[in-house]
Amino acid sequence: IFEQWGPSFVPPVGMLVFEVLKEGEMYYVKTYAEAQHPEQLRNLEELTPESPPDRVFVSIPECVHGPESSCPVKDFVAIIYETILDTCTKPYKEGGPTAFPAPAVPTP
């Protein structure tokens, strides 16, 4: 997805960026992925407005019916709640259900 990395390579570091747009009384979300170019990583370059990371638009297939293929916020929130596993968003409680076991803590 990133031109500098090639079509089937995932950069070692990156982030998702959620941009909120307002048109009239409606709010919309556009999603982007950002990652440093290989040369920026190799040379430990500081990211600046003059030397930004790669940025690519990421469409949400079920929700591209807003301006510029954005997603209405209410639809975006509904998709997020349907997609994210509930067990992955709750803090670990001793003896309670969790997606991952708590890490072992060495005792002195």
Side-chain angles (χ1 to χ4, degrees):
I1 116 180
F2 292 102
E3 186 177 314
Q4 297 285 335
W5 287 99
S8 61
F9 190 85
V10 178
V13 76
M15 68 180 167
L16 287 176
V17 176
F18 300 98
E19 182 178 276
V20 178
L21 311 169
K22 183 178 181 187
E23 187 172 287
E25 295 300 311
M26 292 285 296
Y27 289 91
Y28 301 89
V29 176
K30 285 186 80 171
T31 307
Y32 296 90
E34 288 189 355
Q36 290 175 286
H37 307 177
E39 292 77 25
Q40 289 172 321
L41 283 171
R42 188 177 300 114
N43 299 327
L44 299 174
E45 291 180 26
E46 183 176 343
L47 298 177
T48 66
E50 295 77 31
S51 180
D54 276 345
R55 185 179 205 201
V56 294
F57 174 68
V58 178
S59 68
I60 302 168
E62 310 79 30
C63 194
V64 291
H65 48 274
E68 301 175 34
S69 298
S70 62
C71 180
V73 167
K74 64 181 180 62
D75 297 341
F76 180 78
V77 169
I79 290 167
I80 294 301
Y81 278 117
E82 289 173 11
T83 306
I84 293 178
L85 295 175
D86 193 35
T87 55
C88 293
T89 60
K90 294 192 177 181
Y92 175 77
K93 292 182 183 175
E94 194 66 44
T98 182
F100 303 100
V105 178
T107 55

